[in-house]
Amino acid sequence: GQQVMQIPQYQHVQEGEDFTTYCNSSTTLSNIQWYKQRPGGHPVFLIQLVKSGEVKKQKRLTFQFGEAKKNSSLHITATQTTDVGTYFCATEGSGGSNYKLTFGKGTLLTVNP
Amino acid sequence: NAGVTQTPKFRILKIGQSMTLQCAQDMNHNYMYWYRQDPGMGLKLIYYSVGAGITDKGEVPNGYNVSRSTTEDFPLRLELAAPSQTSVYFCASGATNEKLFFGSGTQLSVL
């Protein structure tokens, strides 16, 4: 399956600051998904990006897929304590079908109120 | 609509014991997955299935077995449990090119 590197591993911010996590691959990705896992919880789907250069927004969250489809980012504007958790990117194996979804190691976000 | 149901939620095993982690989904999804998550780490794919009767290995299959006799169920079997298998196990399901739905997880300790 595809290997993706996710950085940073940890990020601590003051409430109100912005936050960005990056997902990078050495090979072209067919698509990428982002998930959030609250402490003690299970991963919950946030978004899927498919097109080169795609940008999607969900309230304070902005997701981007690189032009070369080798990287992606998740940006949170003005973090809140409810944003605490681990953010994972995930990508599928070869063939263009969503059958072998592998995850990055995640970025743990903590927010100081 | 229950989504993805995993049982049990917690389990303690002794070294060498066996057990089956149950996973069921009621969304008629073709794809089902088993992941393990070690403390502070990401999700590692153990096994996955693209439909009833079809399973394949993921990144870390050693020490585990799966079966998929029906669309709904995807049990994970641990034979001869080892301390290295202490982890949180997540089952997930999804439709083609769509998001995954995760169960609430099984916390397993092997002592």
Side-chain angles (χ1 to χ4, degrees), chain A residues 75-95:
Chain A
H75 179 82
I76 302 178
T77 303
T79 55
Q80 299 175 359
T81 54
T82 53
D83 295 325
V84 165
T86 302
Y87 293 84
F88 293 98
C89 61
T91 188
E92 64 190 31
S94 60

Side-chain angles (χ1 to χ4, degrees), chain A residues 14-40:
Chain A
Q14 289 292 127
E15 189 171 23
E17 292 182 338
D18 291 357
F19 159 76
T20 305
T21 174
Y22 301 89
C23 195
N24 300 310
S25 172
S26 58
T27 59
T28 302
L29 304 172
S30 53
N31 60 40
I32 196 157
Q33 296 181 357
W34 286 93
Y35 291 78
K36 176 184 178 181
Q37 183 179 27
R38 293 182 186 274

Side-chain angles (χ1 to χ4, degrees), chain A residues 6-12 19-23 87 105-109:
Chain A
Q6 205 172 339
I7 54 171
Q9 191 173 359
Y10 307 98
Q11 184 79 58
H12 178 75
F19 159 76
T20 305
T21 174
Y22 301 89
C23 195
Y87 293 84
K105 292 187 177 181
T107 296
L108 172 61
L109 172 65

Side-chain angles (χ1 to χ4, degrees), chain A residues 2-3 9-10 31 33 35 37 40-46 48 86 88 92 96-106, chain B residues 31-33 35 37 40-45 48-50 57-59 90 94-105:
Chain A
Q2 302 279 6
Q3 297 292 327
Q9 191 173 359
Y10 307 98
N31 60 40
Q33 296 181 357
Y35 291 78
Q37 183 179 27
H42 59 275
V44 175
F45 174 82
L46 294 175
Q48 177 169 271
T86 302
F88 293 98
E92 64 190 31
S97 62
N98 187 23
Y99 64 89
K100 190 175 180 180
L101 204 63
T102 55
F103 284 72
K105 292 187 177 181
Chain B
Y31 304 119
M32 295 189 74
Y33 306 79
Y35 294 91
Q37 185 175 37
M41 301 294 284
L43 297 156
K44 293 183 179 179
L45 181 62
Y48 65 99
S49 170
V50 301
K57 297 177 180 179
E59 304 166 272
F90 288 103
T96 304
N97 291 324
E98 294 188 3
K99 63 183 177 182
L100 293 191
F101 292 83
F102 281 81
S104 56

